[in-house]
């Protein structure tokens, strides 16, 4: 029975639902993401034995500043599996678990490094509850560091508020990690911050407003120098009036070389569905987008809605084609990375539905 401060998991008022799992680059372990407002649990499981290796609860920030204060939406491994980057959605904090392995790639320690934390919301003057590691048979989860060493500030290098007019709602949706260990932090209300995940604390290296990168993106892949990102829709109540199917590409090598700034390097707009001429419904003018029918209230139910929602993203093994799913219309858009153009759509629904 896994215990935290003398209590068992059965004593908790809530734990969360399994939101997603991703294999590590070594293809040995899975991250376990449990999403629920106020929850904040993330774990690691051995893929072969299905045994728990680590379990954590993320930081609860100042609930007065940052909404509910804590939740874990999703986490992503970096390229070599030496870190797991955490989207503390309601905490508005990018957090990091440092992974230690033996020569065979087995995880020998998973350490929640508080010193590495990067606040992306309003300045955090207080922490309501610190990050926690759970212990149990065979588990190697630990916590280290001090919030005094983390970056809990509220301003970007460009002098703007991390959450403000440019980025009005910085609940973290997905921290997409590039091959150079830049983290592309997408937000519910639009805008984007890019951070260097190798530094402690992690630091902002590029910043984008919501008009340049629209909101609720969750999905990203890399081909060559370019990281492909999307803009989508919240599946919760916030998505009642939203609709976005947008795909961008950002030159990660420019940011890695130190050339990131305010809306720099400029994203390449690969595809934005602004009308229904292709038969796949269309975006609304929401979450930073200025094109589309803002009055489309047809909802999110597949088969009924005439709206769109980019969510998740995959790339072929040769890195030539990006496949972008639409979870409202049940179709996939295909992007050619050589020409950076949309080349077609395929339907996931049978003729009879």
């Amino acid at each position: 029975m896994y215990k935290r401060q003398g209590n068992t998991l059965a004593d908790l008022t809530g734990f969360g639902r399994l939101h997603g799992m991703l294999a590590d680059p070594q293809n040995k372990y899975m991250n376990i993401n449990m999403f629920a407002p106020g929850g904040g649990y993330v774990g690691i499981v051995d893929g072969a034995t299905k045994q728990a290796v680590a379990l954590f609860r993320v930081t609860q920030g100042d609930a007065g500043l940052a909404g509910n204060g804590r939740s874990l939406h999703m986490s992503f491994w970096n390229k070599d599996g030496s870190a797991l980057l955490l989207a503390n959605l309601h905490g508005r904090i990018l957090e990091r678990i440092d992974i230690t392995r033996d020569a065979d790639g087995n995880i020998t320690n998973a350490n929640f490094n508080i010193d590495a934390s990067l606040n992306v919301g309003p300045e955090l003057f207080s922490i309501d509850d610190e990050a926690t590691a759970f212990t149990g048979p065979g588990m190697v989860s630990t916590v280290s560091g001090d919030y005094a060493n983390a970056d809990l500030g509220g301003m970007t290098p460009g002098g703007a508020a991390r959450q403000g007019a440019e980025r009005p709602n910085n609940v973290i949706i997905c921290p997409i990690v590039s091959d150079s260990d830049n983290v592309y932090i997408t937000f519910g209300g639009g805008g984007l911050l890019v951070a260097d995940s190798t530094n402690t604390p992690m630091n902002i290296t590029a910043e984008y407003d919501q008009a340049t990168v629209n909101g609720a993106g969750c999905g990203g892949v890399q081909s060559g120098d370019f990281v492909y990102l999307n803009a989508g829709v919240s599946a919760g109540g916030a998505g009642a009036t939203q609709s976005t199917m947008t795909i961008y590409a950002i030159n990660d090598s420019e940011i890695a070389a130190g050339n990131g700034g305010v809306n720099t390097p400029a994203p390449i707009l690969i595809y934005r569905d602004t009308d229904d001429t292709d038969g796949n419904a269309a975006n609304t003018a929401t979450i930073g987008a200025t094109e589309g029918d803002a009055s489309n209230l047809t909802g999110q139910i597949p088969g009924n809605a005439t709206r769109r929602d980019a969510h998740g993203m995959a790339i072929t093994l040769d890195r030539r084609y990006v496949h972008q799913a639409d979870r409202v219309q049940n179709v996939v858009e295909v992007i050619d990375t050589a020409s950076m153009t949309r080349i077609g759509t395929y339907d996931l629904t049978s003729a009879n539905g």
Side-chain angles (χ1 to χ4, degrees):
M1 185 68 70
Y2 306 121
K3 295 185 177 182
R4 172 187 182 267
Q5 298 176 352
N7 298 323
T8 70
L9 294 183
D11 298 321
L12 299 173
T13 57
F15 190 71
R17 59 183 173 84
L18 179 59
H19 181 235
M21 299 185 297
L22 297 171
D24 68 342
Q26 288 77 7
N27 208 32
K28 294 173 71 72
Y29 299 92
M30 306 293 293
N31 59 356
I32 307 294
N33 301 280
M34 308 299 293
F35 180 49
Y41 297 93
V42 58
I44 300 173
V45 169
D46 187 313
T49 66
K50 311 302 185 292
Q51 296 298 305
V53 173
L55 179 65
F56 303 91
R57 196 178 193 191
V58 299
T59 303
Q60 181 171 321
D62 185 341
L65 285 174
N68 292 328
R70 168 168 56 196
S71 66
L72 189 286
H73 183 246
M74 195 64 189
S75 62
F76 288 80
W77 303 94
N78 68 350
K79 184 180 180 181
D80 65 2
S82 63
L84 191 60
L85 284 302
L86 313 179
N88 186 341
L89 184 147
H90 288 105
R92 292 166 170 82
I93 310 170
L94 178 69
E95 300 187 279
R96 191 180 79 205
I97 296 171
D98 294 332
I99 305 295
T100 303
R101 299 174 187 261
D102 64 19
D104 296 321
N106 300 308
I107 294 178
T108 57
N109 181 243
N111 181 64
F112 196 114
N113 188 345
I114 290 173
D115 291 346
S117 303
L118 173 65
N119 175 55
V120 297
E123 185 170 0
L124 278 172
F125 295 101
S126 68
I127 299 296
D128 289 351
D129 193 17
E130 297 185 0
T132 307
F134 290 72
T135 60
M139 297 180 69
V140 295
S141 32
T142 59
V143 176
S144 71
D146 191 308
Y147 290 98
N149 301 324
D151 182 351
L152 304 182
M155 304 299 289
T156 68
R162 298 179 187 182
Q163 177 175 299
E166 292 87 353
R167 291 163 292 276
N169 183 16
N170 283 11
V171 290
I172 301 177
I173 307 300
C174 285
I176 305 299
V177 192
S178 76
D179 292 346
S180 62
D181 286 319
N182 284 320
V183 185
Y184 291 74
I185 313 165
T186 63
F187 300 124
L192 176 77
L193 294 175
V194 185
D196 185 341
S197 69
T198 65
N199 289 333
T200 301
M202 295 178 284
N203 60 291
I204 297 169
T205 54
E207 55 193 274
Y208 296 86
D209 58 40
Q210 67 166 180
T212 304
V213 178
N214 303 155
C218 189
V221 296
Q222 185 165 357
S223 178
D225 288 337
F226 288 88
V227 171
Y228 292 77
L229 302 169
N230 59 26
V233 174
S234 169
T241 59
Q242 300 171 359
S243 173
T244 313
M245 165 61 76
T246 311
I247 304 171
Y248 307 95
I250 297 178
N251 191 331
D252 183 67
S253 67
E254 286 293 308
I255 297 176
N259 298 323
V262 179
N263 296 326
T264 304
I268 298 171
L269 177 59
I270 294 177
Y271 178 57
R272 173 181 284 147
D273 191 358
T274 57
D275 58 58
D276 196 21
T277 57
D278 56 8
N280 291 331
N283 290 356
T284 58
T286 54
I287 336 179
T290 58
E291 299 175 274
D293 179 7
S295 63
N296 185 335
L297 302 178
T298 58
Q300 299 178 334
I301 300 175
N304 294 334
T306 57
R307 293 168 30 188
R308 306 213 61 181
D309 175 16
H311 195 84
M313 187 181 286
I315 193 167
T316 55
L317 293 177
D318 61 2
R319 301 278 154 177
R320 178 64 188 273
Y321 299 103
V322 172
H323 290 242
Q324 174 60 66
D326 182 331
R327 62 179 173 175
V328 170
Q329 295 303 319
N330 286 332
V331 299
V332 174
E333 304 290 355
V334 181
I335 305 299
D336 184 339
T337 62
S339 62
M340 289 193 175
T341 58
R342 167 179 169 263
I343 59 172
T345 307
Y346 59 92
D347 201 330
L348 299 175
T349 310
S350 63
N352 64 4

